[in-house]
């Protein structure tokens, strides 16, 4: 029976299970941070992917995130914006515990994913990262692996060996990342032989191959040209029908194009969260208005 990676609801009781299931299937001076706008909750009817409760993150004695409360809606794209050093990448990495890889990192508060504590005492961080995929700022295909092996490496590391299943998942993941038609005749070429934009989409395919429930993107287009950026943005639009996507971006126009909701961070604090159109056209907090209008940042 072919193994299948399923996107079942997150459960901490799954942490001992394999990822492979055996069943088929010169501006104005910057304002000082203040409290977040009340518009920091999705509507009562919206499913919540992450419920962040009074989250603070420290690297040694430095506090990078300060008492953040935020609910991120499921099955949509949420953008995190703010000036350099405001804590947005740290906030993103906290959603799959990647920040813990930095020596001296610690946190207070909670992050619930569909009601379950990601930082519970018996929760394996590896399981969290398997369920919550990450695409980094700089494309990072494995230099010694082919295009196909780059996509399949996560499945192989989790013990999947069925060749027919791997071939099916390879094509599915490359199609989902809008790369299949460009590489289908050269799957044995090194992943690093692709262009920068193609390499980033290859990394997205690699993240999707293990079928995470949520996809995090840390400035995925910062090193790409406008054409490659447009392809990644089209891909984000396509993915939101199946995945919750959270993206950090310095590009406010990109945030406006791809997201339904936007969170504005400044100096480690969440200043405002709400529908993207409101954040950019009618922000409730004067600090947000100053940032999106270009008066600082």
């Amino acid at each position: 029976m072919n193994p299948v990676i399923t996107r079942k609801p997150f459960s901490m009781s799954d942490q001992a299970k394999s990822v492979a299931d055996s069943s088929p299937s010169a501006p104005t001076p910057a304002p000082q941070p203040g409290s977040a706008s009340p518009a920091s909750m999705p509507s009562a009817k919206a499913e919540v992917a992450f419920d962040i409760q009074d989250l603070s993150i420290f690297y040694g004695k430095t506090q990078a995130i300060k008492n953040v409360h935020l609910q991120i809606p499921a099955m949509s794209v949420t953008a995190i914006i703010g000036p350099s050093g405001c804590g947005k990448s740290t906030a993103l990495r906290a959603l799959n515990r990647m920040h813990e890889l930095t020596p001296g990192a610690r946190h207070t508060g909670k992050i619930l994913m569909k009601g379950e504590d990601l930082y519970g005492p018996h929760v394996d961080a590896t399981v969290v990262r398997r369920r919550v995929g990450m695409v980094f700022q700089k494309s990072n295909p494995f230099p010694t692996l082919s295009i196909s092996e780059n996509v399949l490496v996560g499945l192989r590391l989790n013990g999947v060996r069925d060749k027919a299943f791997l071939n099916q998942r390879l094509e599915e993941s490359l199609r989902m990342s809008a790369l299949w038609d460009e590489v289908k005749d050269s799957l044995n070429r090194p992943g690093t032989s692709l262009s920068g934009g193609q390499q980033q989409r290859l990394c997205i395919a690699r993240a999707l191959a293990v079928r995470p429930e949520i996809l995090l993107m840390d400035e995925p287009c910062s090193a790409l040209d406008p054409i490659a950026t447009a392809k990644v943005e089209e891909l984000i639009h396509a993915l939101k029908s199946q995945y919750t996507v959270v993206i950090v971006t310095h590009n406010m126009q990109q945030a406006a194009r791809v997201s339904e909701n936007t969170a504005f961070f400044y100096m480690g604090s969440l200043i405002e969260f709400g529908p993207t159109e409101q954040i950019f056209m009618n922000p409730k907090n004067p600090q947000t208005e100053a940032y999106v209008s270009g008066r600082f940042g």
Side-chain angles (χ1 to χ4, degrees):
M1 191 176 294
N2 291 346
V4 173
I5 307 302
T6 58
R7 293 181 57 233
K8 54 191 174 183
F10 188 90
S11 174
M12 298 309 172
S13 63
D14 291 337
Q15 63 188 27
K17 297 181 182 179
S18 168
V19 68
D21 192 323
S22 61
S23 58
S25 234
T28 304
Q32 294 303 305
S35 57
S37 162
S40 60
M41 304 289 183
S43 67
K45 295 182 179 180
E47 182 184 357
V48 174
F50 291 109
D51 184 3
I52 302 171
Q53 302 177 3
D54 197 24
L55 179 69
S56 294
I57 295 177
F58 302 82
Y59 296 110
K61 295 182 179 179
T62 302
Q63 186 170 4
I65 296 294
K66 303 173 182 177
N67 307 105
V68 167
H69 293 265
L70 175 63
Q71 290 186 339
I72 296 177
M75 306 303 288
S76 64
V77 180
T78 296
I80 302 177
I81 63 171
S84 296
C86 70
K88 54 188 183 294
S89 289
T90 295
L92 185 79
R93 289 167 182 253
L95 299 179
N96 74 344
R97 299 179 58 170
M98 286 292 293
H99 75 289
E100 292 182 324
L101 300 177
T102 302
R106 61 186 177 86
H107 83 285
T108 60
K110 287 186 176 182
I111 300 180
L112 305 182
M113 179 177 168
K114 299 182 180 177
E116 300 198 58
D117 188 355
L118 294 185
Y119 290 84
H122 303 295
V123 176
D124 185 347
T126 302
V127 174
V128 174
R129 294 168 194 150
R130 191 180 293 155
R131 301 282 189 177
V132 186
M134 172 77 83
V135 176
F136 296 95
Q137 180 175 358
K138 180 175 171 52
S139 57
N140 56 349
F142 295 107
T144 60
L145 299 184
S146 67
I147 293 170
S148 61
E149 288 304 312
N150 260 283
V151 176
L152 299 175
V153 63
L155 293 171
R156 292 192 185 280
L157 287 173
N158 283 285
V160 180
R161 296 290 181 265
D162 186 279
K163 187 173 181 180
F165 172 77
L166 290 171
N167 287 337
Q168 177 185 352
R169 184 53 57 83
L170 172 66
E171 181 173 348
E172 289 174 352
S173 300
L174 287 171
R175 286 189 182 279
M176 291 176 70
S177 63
L179 193 56
W180 173 253
D181 289 338
E182 299 170 36
V183 303
K184 62 183 178 182
D185 297 322
S186 54
L187 294 173
N188 292 323
R189 287 170 49 201
T192 52
S193 68
L194 299 174
S195 69
Q198 289 175 322
Q199 287 186 31
Q200 191 63 297
R201 284 182 285 146
L202 179 65
C203 293
I204 294 172
R206 184 174 67 200
L208 295 175
V210 296
R211 293 300 186 267
E213 295 177 44
I214 293 169
L215 189 62
L216 310 179
M217 295 183 164
D218 192 359
E219 300 189 55
C221 302
S222 63
L224 304 183
D225 61 50
I227 293 175
T229 294
K231 289 185 177 181
V232 172
E233 289 181 1
E234 290 172 5
L235 172 58
I236 292 170
H237 278 292
L239 289 175
K240 70 183 180 183
S241 64
Q242 301 179 61
Y243 294 91
T244 300
V245 178
V246 186
I247 178 172
V248 163
T249 179
H250 272 295
N251 187 326
M252 287 187 284
Q253 290 77 22
Q254 181 175 74
R257 287 192 297 264
V258 304
S259 68
E260 284 78 44
N261 296 281
T262 296
F264 168 51
F265 276 74
Y266 181 60
M267 294 181 66
S269 296
L270 173 64
I271 304 302
E272 185 169 355
F273 175 77
T276 295
E277 183 176 1
Q278 174 219 303
I279 293 293
F280 284 96
M281 301 301 293
N282 187 30
K284 298 181 182 298
N285 192 300
Q287 296 174 346
T288 309
E289 196 276 333
Y291 181 74
V292 301
S293 64
R295 294 208 294 275
F296 80 99

